Amino acid sequence: MFDMANEYINIMTCPLSDQYMEVRRYKIEQALDQLPDKYSKIINAYIDRKTNAYYEVNEDGFSAYDMDQAILRS
């Protein structure tokens, strides 16, 4: 379950996405939706924490998302 969650996070935070990754994201979402509620709450909290950390601003005023976007623009 955590492997699926980690792969989902990697797909959601990857700045270079393609059709294959969108299909993988959709399949993982379907699999996570079928989990029992007690597991679903834990996995969703884990996903939320990891994606929030990706967008969280560091002491320099930049997030990992900002850095990814700057690399893509250069």
Side-chain angles (χ1 to χ4, degrees), residues 31-67:
L32 291 174
D33 286 343
Q34 294 177 4
L35 290 175
D37 283 342
K38 62 182 179 180
Y39 298 120
S40 179
K41 288 179 184 178
I42 294 169
I43 296 296
N44 286 333
Y46 177 75
I47 290 171
D48 287 344
R49 185 170 42 118
K50 289 291 190 174
T51 53
N52 286 342
Y54 178 70
Y55 292 105
E56 186 176 325
V57 177
N58 63 12
E59 64 272 358
D60 295 329
F62 299 104
S63 67
Y65 172 78
D66 296 333
M67 300 299 261

Side-chain angles (χ1 to χ4, degrees), residues 1 6 20 25 61:
M1 287 186 294
N6 282 326
Y20 170 76
R25 182 181 62 83

Side-chain angles (χ1 to χ4, degrees), residues 8-35:
Y8 183 75
I9 292 164
N10 288 338
I11 291 170
M12 294 300 291
T13 58
C14 179
L16 301 174
S17 182
D18 60 0
Q19 187 177 16
Y20 170 76
M21 290 180 81
E22 292 301 316
V23 170
R24 281 296 289 161
R25 182 181 62 83
Y26 177 72
K27 288 182 179 182
I28 292 171
E29 284 177 353
Q30 285 183 331
L32 291 174
D33 286 343
Q34 294 177 4
L35 290 175

